[in-house]
Amino acid sequence: MDIKITRSTHLKEKPDQNHLGFGNYFTDHMLTIDYDEGQGWHDARITPYEPIAMDPAAMVLHYAQETFEGLKAYRNPNGDVMLFRPEMNARRMINSNARLCMPALPEEMFIEAVEAIVKYEQDWIPTAPDTSLYIRPFMYAAQPSVGVHPANSYKFIIILSPVGAYYPEGVNPIKIWVEDEYVRAVKGGTGFTKCGGNYAASVAAQVKAEQKGYTQVLWLDGVHRKYVEEVGTMNIMFYIGDEIITAPIDGSVLPGVTRDSMLRLLKDWGYKVSERELSIDDLMEAGHNGTLKEVFGTGTAAVISPVGELNYKGDIVTINDFKTGPLTQRLYDTLTGIQWGKIEDPYQWTRIIK
Ligand code: COI
């Protein structure tokens, strides 16, 4: 792929690496690729980071044909720039796009684009503990039209943001509100995709949870409001008795890259891992009878986030005395060790950008 580069004439001052927060700063450049029906993907370019001019009738603004991804770049102790399983993001975006009738960006093109912009902006990769460069590829319908149909033109853009922890709590336990009024997804819908609409629909519950003093929402399935599915920005796993349980990927749950990686680690460590339905009643019962040992969310942005409290209709369960459990800590140390290149990567998950 030929990528044309226009360098910014006003490079920004880099933010303080110890107070990055999440998603507050953006680098000097962005990468764009255009798509037009009949022509395919064309005009890949790196340009200064700037506002996007858009027709007010651009279809994304009306009917939300938009998908996105999230992955991170890290600098290992040798100074190399590394990505973590970018092919998983490329494939997930292809699946998301298929559901939203958007064109597929081929896997090799996705990876080449990510590598090109990250390499170009590598001075922005923070090196303070627990920081990384968050990569946000996204695609939207650009065609001006107010009829409801798949657009005939799209833009694929990548922006980059140096980040610290997603939650202010860092790797300390968070409190979770079990949502029994709103639903996130149903099978046959878009729950398995990473599309902006899923997140728009989640905000009301998120606001409600925050008003009640909770960091995130745990979604129940949209039909029975009975089975636990995922958390606002993460998949979630429950360690009950001798089994680690997480919701199956069967249409309404996001196939998380971190989820997949954790399942692999857990299986290799000899744990009994089940991708199966778990009812909220069984979960609360386990919380009360002492068999619920640990609960943790998994996601690219959050990495792994221990859950210290669940509130379901006023019934409260405290997990592991509101402390980060040993298994959660071991998973965090192993995954971040691999991602930051501090420990061996037996899975070949990391990829050095040459
Ligand atoms: C990620 O974990 O990368 C996500 O995309 C979640 C997000 C909505 C911040």
Side-chain angles (χ1 to χ4, degrees), residues 22 68-72 89 92 134-136 166 194 199 232-234 254 258 298-303:
F22 190 91
F68 69 98
E69 273 302 322
L71 64 163
K72 286 175 172 169
N89 300 91
R92 188 170 61 187
Y134 187 74
I135 306 166
R136 172 49 62 85
Y166 185 76
K194 215 156 170 60
Y199 294 81
T233 61
M234 306 182 287
L254 189 81
T258 311
T298 66
T300 296
V303 190

Side-chain angles (χ1 to χ4, degrees), residues 250-263:
D250 60 2
S252 50
V253 170
L254 189 81
V257 177
T258 311
R259 174 190 181 279
D260 184 82
S261 310
M262 296 296 184
L263 291 179

